[in-house]
PDB file of all heavy atoms in Angstrom:
ATOM      1  N   ARG A 345     311.367 -24.672 -18.685  1.00  0.00           N
ATOM      2  CA  ARG A 345     309.970 -25.404 -19.008  1.00  0.00           C
ATOM      3  C   ARG A 345     309.185 -25.439 -17.705  1.00  0.00           C
ATOM      4  O   ARG A 345     308.007 -25.047 -17.859  1.00  0.00           O
ATOM      5  CB  ARG A 345     310.435 -26.711 -19.333  1.00  0.00           C
ATOM      6  CG  ARG A 345     309.089 -27.557 -19.646  1.00  0.00           C
ATOM      7  CD  ARG A 345     309.481 -28.882 -20.272  1.00  0.00           C
ATOM      8  NE  ARG A 345     308.258 -29.710 -20.532  1.00  0.00           N
ATOM      9  CZ  ARG A 345     307.697 -30.508 -19.624  1.00  0.00           C
ATOM     10  NH1 ARG A 345     308.306 -30.641 -18.400  1.00  0.00           N
ATOM     11  NH2 ARG A 345     306.610 -31.223 -19.970  1.00  0.00           N
ATOM     12  N   ALA A 346     309.809 -25.577 -16.499  1.00  0.00           N
ATOM     13  CA  ALA A 346     308.937 -25.584 -15.281  1.00  0.00           C
ATOM     14  C   ALA A 346     308.363 -24.174 -15.114  1.00  0.00           C
ATOM     15  O   ALA A 346     307.216 -23.926 -14.665  1.00  0.00           O
ATOM     16  CB  ALA A 346     309.826 -26.124 -14.120  1.00  0.00           C
ATOM     17  N   ALA A 347     309.246 -23.162 -15.288  1.00  0.00           N
ATOM     18  CA  ALA A 347     308.774 -21.900 -15.059  1.00  0.00           C
ATOM     19  C   ALA A 347     307.647 -21.495 -16.044  1.00  0.00           C
ATOM     20  O   ALA A 347     306.674 -20.804 -15.732  1.00  0.00           O
ATOM     21  CB  ALA A 347     309.941 -20.783 -15.126  1.00  0.00           C
ATOM     22  N   ARG A 348     307.761 -21.854 -17.274  1.00  0.00           N
ATOM     23  CA  ARG A 348     306.677 -21.605 -18.221  1.00  0.00           C
ATOM     24  C   ARG A 348     305.344 -22.311 -17.932  1.00  0.00           C
ATOM     25  O   ARG A 348     304.332 -21.674 -17.941  1.00  0.00           O
ATOM     26  CB  ARG A 348     307.244 -21.995 -19.686  1.00  0.00           C
ATOM     27  CG  ARG A 348     306.294 -21.616 -20.744  1.00  0.00           C
ATOM     28  CD  ARG A 348     306.844 -21.903 -22.131  1.00  0.00           C
ATOM     29  NE  ARG A 348     307.184 -23.311 -22.415  1.00  0.00           N
ATOM     30  CZ  ARG A 348     308.446 -23.780 -22.283  1.00  0.00           C
ATOM     31  NH1 ARG A 348     309.539 -22.873 -22.021  1.00  0.00           N
ATOM     32  NH2 ARG A 348     308.741 -25.005 -22.530  1.00  0.00           N
ATOM     33  N   VAL A 349     305.515 -23.586 -17.445  1.00  0.00           N
ATOM     34  CA  VAL A 349     304.328 -24.224 -17.112  1.00  0.00           C
ATOM     35  C   VAL A 349     303.662 -23.506 -15.816  1.00  0.00           C
ATOM     36  O   VAL A 349     302.450 -23.283 -15.847  1.00  0.00           O
ATOM     37  CB  VAL A 349     304.613 -25.683 -16.754  1.00  0.00           C
ATOM     38  CG1 VAL A 349     303.327 -26.385 -16.175  1.00  0.00           C
ATOM     39  CG2 VAL A 349     304.955 -26.431 -18.080  1.00  0.00           C
ATOM     40  N   ILE A 350     304.434 -23.113 -15.018  1.00  0.00           N
ATOM     41  CA  ILE A 350     303.891 -22.412 -13.732  1.00  0.00           C
ATOM     42  C   ILE A 350     303.184 -21.118 -14.229  1.00  0.00           C
ATOM     43  O   ILE A 350     302.108 -20.771 -13.824  1.00  0.00           O
ATOM     44  CB  ILE A 350     304.988 -22.265 -12.683  1.00  0.00           C
ATOM     45  CG1 ILE A 350     305.442 -23.606 -12.101  1.00  0.00           C
ATOM     46  CG2 ILE A 350     304.471 -21.359 -11.652  1.00  0.00           C
ATOM     47  CD1 ILE A 350     306.553 -23.393 -11.164  1.00  0.00           C
ATOM     48  N   HIS A 351     303.943 -20.441 -15.064  1.00  0.00           N
ATOM     49  CA  HIS A 351     303.301 -19.180 -15.490  1.00  0.00           C
ATOM     50  C   HIS A 351     301.949 -19.361 -16.203  1.00  0.00           C
ATOM     51  O   HIS A 351     301.000 -18.629 -16.051  1.00  0.00           O
ATOM     52  CB  HIS A 351     304.408 -18.456 -16.415  1.00  0.00           C
ATOM     53  CG  HIS A 351     303.768 -17.177 -17.042  1.00  0.00           C
ATOM     54  ND1 HIS A 351     303.140 -17.110 -18.185  1.00  0.00           N
ATOM     55  CD2 HIS A 351     303.889 -15.930 -16.580  1.00  0.00           C
ATOM     56  CE1 HIS A 351     302.816 -15.932 -18.441  1.00  0.00           C
ATOM     57  NE2 HIS A 351     303.176 -15.045 -17.513  1.00  0.00           N
ATOM     58  N   ASP A 352     301.917 -20.371 -17.165  1.00  0.00           N
ATOM     59  CA  ASP A 352     300.756 -20.675 -17.965  1.00  0.00           C
ATOM     60  C   ASP A 352     299.618 -21.076 -17.180  1.00  0.00           C
ATOM     61  O   ASP A 352     298.492 -20.642 -17.375  1.00  0.00           O
ATOM     62  CB  ASP A 352     301.072 -21.671 -19.016  1.00  0.00           C
ATOM     63  CG  ASP A 352     302.056 -21.211 -20.118  1.00  0.00           C
ATOM     64  OD1 ASP A 352     302.118 -19.950 -20.253  1.00  0.00           O
ATOM     65  OD2 ASP A 352     302.636 -21.970 -20.769  1.00  0.00           O
ATOM     66  N   GLU A 353     299.954 -21.974 -16.161  1.00  0.00           N
ATOM     67  CA  GLU A 353     298.871 -22.396 -15.255  1.00  0.00           C
ATOM     68  C   GLU A 353     298.348 -21.346 -14.362  1.00  0.00           C
ATOM     69  O   GLU A 353     297.139 -21.174 -14.022  1.00  0.00           O
ATOM     70  CB  GLU A 353     299.363 -23.556 -14.440  1.00  0.00           C
ATOM     71  CG  GLU A 353     299.579 -24.877 -15.255  1.00  0.00           C
ATOM     72  CD  GLU A 353     298.351 -25.244 -16.077  1.00  0.00           C
ATOM     73  OE1 GLU A 353     297.188 -25.163 -15.492  1.00  0.00           O
ATOM     74  OE2 GLU A 353     298.486 -25.998 -17.048  1.00  0.00           O
ATOM     75  N   ALA A 354     299.222 -20.403 -13.907  1.00  0.00           N
ATOM     76  CA  ALA A 354     298.813 -19.320 -13.074  1.00  0.00           C
ATOM     77  C   ALA A 354     297.973 -18.348 -13.958  1.00  0.00           C
ATOM     78  O   ALA A 354     296.961 -17.854 -13.408  1.00  0.00           O
ATOM     79  CB  ALA A 354     299.999 -18.656 -12.488  1.00  0.00           C
ATOM     80  N   GLU A 355     298.357 -18.189 -15.175  1.00  0.00           N
ATOM     81  CA  GLU A 355     297.618 -17.295 -16.086  1.00  0.00           C
ATOM     82  C   GLU A 355     296.172 -17.869 -16.304  1.00  0.00           C
ATOM     83  O   GLU A 355     295.169 -17.195 -16.240  1.00  0.00           O
ATOM     84  CB  GLU A 355     298.275 -17.050 -17.346  1.00  0.00           C
ATOM     85  CG  GLU A 355     297.505 -16.255 -18.414  1.00  0.00           C
ATOM     86  CD  GLU A 355     297.264 -14.809 -17.897  1.00  0.00           C
ATOM     87  OE1 GLU A 355     298.041 -14.319 -17.058  1.00  0.00           O
ATOM     88  OE2 GLU A 355     296.424 -14.146 -18.440  1.00  0.00           O
ATOM     89  N   ARG A 356     296.214 -19.227 -16.518  1.00  0.00           N
ATOM     90  CA  ARG A 356     294.787 -19.881 -16.676  1.00  0.00           C
ATOM     91  C   ARG A 356     293.977 -19.712 -15.446  1.00  0.00           C
ATOM     92  O   ARG A 356     292.837 -19.479 -15.561  1.00  0.00           O
ATOM     93  CB  ARG A 356     295.145 -21.354 -16.962  1.00  0.00           C
ATOM     94  CG  ARG A 356     293.841 -22.105 -17.143  1.00  0.00           C
ATOM     95  CD  ARG A 356     294.092 -23.633 -17.260  1.00  0.00           C
ATOM     96  NE  ARG A 356     292.936 -24.369 -17.343  1.00  0.00           N
ATOM     97  CZ  ARG A 356     293.028 -25.825 -17.301  1.00  0.00           C
ATOM     98  NH1 ARG A 356     294.109 -26.501 -17.122  1.00  0.00           N
ATOM     99  NH2 ARG A 356     291.862 -26.423 -17.352  1.00  0.00           N
ATOM    100  N   MET A 357     294.526 -19.824 -14.200  1.00  0.00           N
ATOM    101  CA  MET A 357     293.765 -19.658 -12.976  1.00  0.00           C
ATOM    102  C   MET A 357     293.248 -18.280 -12.818  1.00  0.00           C
ATOM    103  O   MET A 357     292.105 -17.983 -12.412  1.00  0.00           O
ATOM    104  CB  MET A 357     294.605 -20.051 -11.762  1.00  0.00           C
ATOM    105  CG  MET A 357     294.853 -21.471 -11.645  1.00  0.00           C
ATOM    106  SD  MET A 357     296.044 -21.926 -10.331  1.00  0.00           S
ATOM    107  CE  MET A 357     295.073 -21.309  -9.002  1.00  0.00           C
ATOM    108  N   ARG A 358     294.164 -17.194 -13.214  1.00  0.00           N
ATOM    109  CA  ARG A 358     293.720 -15.870 -13.197  1.00  0.00           C
ATOM    110  C   ARG A 358     292.521 -15.577 -14.077  1.00  0.00           C
ATOM    111  O   ARG A 358     291.631 -14.872 -13.741  1.00  0.00           O
ATOM    112  CB  ARG A 358     294.877 -14.925 -13.559  1.00  0.00           C
ATOM    113  CG  ARG A 358     294.492 -13.430 -13.454  1.00  0.00           C
ATOM    114  CD  ARG A 358     295.683 -12.581 -14.131  1.00  0.00           C
ATOM    115  NE  ARG A 358     295.632 -12.859 -15.546  1.00  0.00           N
ATOM    116  CZ  ARG A 358     294.750 -12.411 -16.451  1.00  0.00           C
ATOM    117  NH1 ARG A 358     293.736 -11.557 -15.923  1.00  0.00           N
ATOM    118  NH2 ARG A 358     294.790 -12.579 -17.637  1.00  0.00           N
ATOM    119  N   ARG A 359     292.620 -16.127 -15.334  1.00  0.00           N
ATOM    120  CA  ARG A 359     291.452 -16.024 -16.280  1.00  0.00           C
ATOM    121  C   ARG A 359     290.260 -16.610 -15.725  1.00  0.00           C
ATOM    122  O   ARG A 359     289.061 -15.927 -15.773  1.00  0.00           O
ATOM    123  CB  ARG A 359     291.783 -16.549 -17.617  1.00  0.00           C
ATOM    124  CG  ARG A 359     292.889 -15.808 -18.502  1.00  0.00           C
ATOM    125  CD  ARG A 359     292.814 -16.246 -19.939  1.00  0.00           C
ATOM    126  NE  ARG A 359     292.862 -17.700 -20.024  1.00  0.00           N
ATOM    127  CZ  ARG A 359     294.203 -18.378 -20.323  1.00  0.00           C
ATOM    128  NH1 ARG A 359     295.247 -17.651 -20.172  1.00  0.00           N
ATOM    129  NH2 ARG A 359     294.140 -19.627 -20.333  1.00  0.00           N
ATOM    130  N   MET A 360     290.317 -17.761 -15.121  1.00  0.00           N
ATOM    131  CA  MET A 360     289.094 -18.388 -14.667  1.00  0.00           C
ATOM    132  C   MET A 360     288.551 -17.599 -13.416  1.00  0.00           C
ATOM    133  O   MET A 360     287.297 -17.367 -13.246  1.00  0.00           O
ATOM    134  CB  MET A 360     289.490 -19.825 -14.176  1.00  0.00           C
ATOM    135  CG  MET A 360     288.227 -20.632 -13.708  1.00  0.00           C
ATOM    136  SD  MET A 360     288.539 -22.246 -13.301  1.00  0.00           S
ATOM    137  CE  MET A 360     289.800 -22.188 -12.073  1.00  0.00           C
ATOM    138  N   VAL A 361     289.459 -17.042 -12.489  1.00  0.00           N
ATOM    139  CA  VAL A 361     288.952 -16.304 -11.395  1.00  0.00           C
ATOM    140  C   VAL A 361     288.243 -15.015 -11.957  1.00  0.00           C
ATOM    141  O   VAL A 361     287.216 -14.614 -11.438  1.00  0.00           O
ATOM    142  CB  VAL A 361     290.095 -15.923 -10.446  1.00  0.00           C
ATOM    143  CG1 VAL A 361     289.642 -14.819  -9.464  1.00  0.00           C
ATOM    144  CG2 VAL A 361     290.567 -17.167  -9.779  1.00  0.00           C
ATOM    145  N   ASP A 362     288.926 -14.391 -12.979  1.00  0.00           N
ATOM    146  CA  ASP A 362     288.314 -13.166 -13.482  1.00  0.00           C
ATOM    147  C   ASP A 362     286.866 -13.481 -14.104  1.00  0.00           C
ATOM    148  O   ASP A 362     285.898 -12.716 -13.904  1.00  0.00           O
ATOM    149  CB  ASP A 362     289.131 -12.582 -14.709  1.00  0.00           C
ATOM    150  CG  ASP A 362     290.440 -11.983 -14.132  1.00  0.00           C
ATOM    151  OD1 ASP A 362     290.364 -11.687 -12.850  1.00  0.00           O
ATOM    152  OD2 ASP A 362     291.310 -11.790 -14.904  1.00  0.00           O
ATOM    153  N   GLU A 363     286.647 -14.658 -14.798  1.00  0.00           N
ATOM    154  CA  GLU A 363     285.508 -15.052 -15.409  1.00  0.00           C
ATOM    155  C   GLU A 363     284.439 -15.263 -14.263  1.00  0.00           C
ATOM    156  O   GLU A 363     283.199 -14.859 -14.446  1.00  0.00           O
ATOM    157  CB  GLU A 363     285.636 -16.232 -16.274  1.00  0.00           C
ATOM    158  CG  GLU A 363     286.430 -15.853 -17.570  1.00  0.00           C
ATOM    159  CD  GLU A 363     286.680 -17.174 -18.337  1.00  0.00           C
ATOM    160  OE1 GLU A 363     286.654 -18.259 -17.897  1.00  0.00           O
ATOM    161  OE2 GLU A 363     287.124 -17.113 -19.578  1.00  0.00           O
ATOM    162  N   LEU A 364     284.940 -15.899 -13.255  1.00  0.00           N
ATOM    163  CA  LEU A 364     283.995 -16.286 -12.176  1.00  0.00           C
ATOM    164  C   LEU A 364     283.510 -14.926 -11.451  1.00  0.00           C
ATOM    165  O   LEU A 364     282.365 -14.813 -11.091  1.00  0.00           O
ATOM    166  CB  LEU A 364     284.688 -17.206 -11.073  1.00  0.00           C
ATOM    167  CG  LEU A 364     284.801 -18.628 -11.521  1.00  0.00           C
ATOM    168  CD1 LEU A 364     285.634 -19.293 -10.398  1.00  0.00           C
ATOM    169  CD2 LEU A 364     283.558 -19.286 -11.806  1.00  0.00           C
ATOM    170  N   LEU A 365     284.349 -14.029 -11.325  1.00  0.00           N
ATOM    171  CA  LEU A 365     284.019 -12.690 -10.848  1.00  0.00           C
ATOM    172  C   LEU A 365     282.989 -12.037 -11.623  1.00  0.00           C
ATOM    173  O   LEU A 365     281.974 -11.361 -11.125  1.00  0.00           O
ATOM    174  CB  LEU A 365     285.227 -11.800 -10.629  1.00  0.00           C
ATOM    175  CG  LEU A 365     286.219 -12.210  -9.448  1.00  0.00           C
ATOM    176  CD1 LEU A 365     287.298 -11.465  -9.375  1.00  0.00           C
ATOM    177  CD2 LEU A 365     285.360 -12.229  -8.115  1.00  0.00           C
ATOM    178  N   ILE A 366     283.231 -12.083 -12.896  1.00  0.00           N
ATOM    179  CA  ILE A 366     282.248 -11.524 -13.900  1.00  0.00           C
ATOM    180  C   ILE A 366     280.829 -12.146 -13.734  1.00  0.00           C
ATOM    181  O   ILE A 366     279.784 -11.439 -13.685  1.00  0.00           O
ATOM    182  CB  ILE A 366     282.795 -11.641 -15.457  1.00  0.00           C
ATOM    183  CG1 ILE A 366     283.875 -10.786 -15.598  1.00  0.00           C
ATOM    184  CG2 ILE A 366     281.682 -11.264 -16.378  1.00  0.00           C
ATOM    185  CD1 ILE A 366     284.552 -10.981 -17.032  1.00  0.00           C
ATOM    186  N   LEU A 367     280.743 -13.419 -13.707  1.00  0.00           N
ATOM    187  CA  LEU A 367     279.472 -14.162 -13.575  1.00  0.00           C
ATOM    188  C   LEU A 367     278.903 -13.833 -12.212  1.00  0.00           C
ATOM    189  O   LEU A 367     277.701 -13.567 -12.136  1.00  0.00           O
ATOM    190  CB  LEU A 367     279.667 -15.625 -13.683  1.00  0.00           C
ATOM    191  CG  LEU A 367     280.051 -16.143 -15.068  1.00  0.00           C
ATOM    192  CD1 LEU A 367     280.335 -17.619 -15.076  1.00  0.00           C
ATOM    193  CD2 LEU A 367     278.792 -15.876 -16.026  1.00  0.00           C
ATOM    194  N   ALA A 368     279.665 -13.740 -11.169  1.00  0.00           N
ATOM    195  CA  ALA A 368     279.113 -13.345  -9.881  1.00  0.00           C
ATOM    196  C   ALA A 368     278.550 -11.898  -9.906  1.00  0.00           C
ATOM    197  O   ALA A 368     277.499 -11.750  -9.293  1.00  0.00           O
ATOM    198  CB  ALA A 368     280.224 -13.436  -8.793  1.00  0.00           C
ATOM    199  N   ARG A 369     279.219 -10.956 -10.566  1.00  0.00           N
ATOM    200  CA  ARG A 369     278.728  -9.596 -10.724  1.00  0.00           C
ATOM    201  C   ARG A 369     277.345  -9.634 -11.504  1.00  0.00           C
ATOM    202  O   ARG A 369     276.427  -8.876 -11.213  1.00  0.00           O
ATOM    203  CB  ARG A 369     279.702  -8.716 -11.254  1.00  0.00           C
ATOM    204  CG  ARG A 369     281.002  -8.467 -10.416  1.00  0.00           C
ATOM    205  CD  ARG A 369     281.948  -7.670 -11.095  1.00  0.00           C
ATOM    206  NE  ARG A 369     281.442  -6.312 -11.351  1.00  0.00           N
ATOM    207  CZ  ARG A 369     282.047  -5.425 -12.134  1.00  0.00           C
ATOM    208  NH1 ARG A 369     283.200  -5.808 -12.732  1.00  0.00           N
ATOM    209  NH2 ARG A 369     281.551  -4.315 -12.353  1.00  0.00           N
ATOM    210  N   PHE A 370     277.279 -10.373 -12.485  1.00  0.00           N
ATOM    211  CA  PHE A 370     276.109 -10.566 -13.314  1.00  0.00           C
ATOM    212  C   PHE A 370     275.017 -11.060 -12.329  1.00  0.00           C
ATOM    213  O   PHE A 370     273.799 -10.554 -12.409  1.00  0.00           O
ATOM    214  CB  PHE A 370     276.208 -11.532 -14.509  1.00  0.00           C
ATOM    215  CG  PHE A 370     276.739 -10.813 -15.826  1.00  0.00           C
ATOM    216  CD1 PHE A 370     277.914 -11.055 -16.352  1.00  0.00           C
ATOM    217  CD2 PHE A 370     275.778  -9.922 -16.388  1.00  0.00           C
ATOM    218  CE1 PHE A 370     278.269 -10.340 -17.517  1.00  0.00           C
ATOM    219  CE2 PHE A 370     276.160  -9.252 -17.496  1.00  0.00           C
ATOM    220  CZ  PHE A 370     277.432  -9.532 -18.125  1.00  0.00           C
ATOM    221  N   ASP A 371     275.320 -12.115 -11.607  1.00  0.00           N
ATOM    222  CA  ASP A 371     274.218 -12.657 -10.729  1.00  0.00           C
ATOM    223  C   ASP A 371     273.711 -11.568  -9.712  1.00  0.00           C
ATOM    224  O   ASP A 371     272.562 -11.583  -9.360  1.00  0.00           O
ATOM    225  CB  ASP A 371     274.811 -13.988 -10.035  1.00  0.00           C
ATOM    226  CG  ASP A 371     275.032 -15.097 -10.926  1.00  0.00           C
ATOM    227  OD1 ASP A 371     274.324 -15.068 -11.958  1.00  0.00           O
ATOM    228  OD2 ASP A 371     275.827 -16.002 -10.521  1.00  0.00           O
ATOM    229  N   ALA A 372     274.714 -10.814  -9.181  1.00  0.00           N
ATOM    230  CA  ALA A 372     274.337  -9.786  -8.298  1.00  0.00           C
ATOM    231  C   ALA A 372     273.833  -8.527  -8.853  1.00  0.00           C
ATOM    232  O   ALA A 372     273.411  -7.577  -8.143  1.00  0.00           O
ATOM    233  CB  ALA A 372     275.561  -9.398  -7.378  1.00  0.00           C
ATOM    234  N   GLY A 373     273.705  -8.548 -10.172  1.00  0.00           N
ATOM    235  CA  GLY A 373     273.200  -7.232 -10.843  1.00  0.00           C
ATOM    236  C   GLY A 373     274.097  -6.069 -10.716  1.00  0.00           C
ATOM    237  O   GLY A 373     273.675  -4.963 -10.741  1.00  0.00           O
TER     238      GLY A 373
END
Side-chain angles (χ1 to χ4, degrees):
R345 179 172 178 272
R348 184 171 58 254
V349 170
I350 292 174
H351 178 273
D352 291 344
E353 294 298 334
E355 178 63 21
R356 180 184 174 193
M357 291 175 60
R358 184 194 63 80
R359 289 197 306 269
M360 183 171 63
V361 170
D362 289 342
E363 290 173 344
L364 289 173
L365 289 175
I366 291 173
L367 288 173
R369 292 176 63 193
F370 268 113
D371 291 339

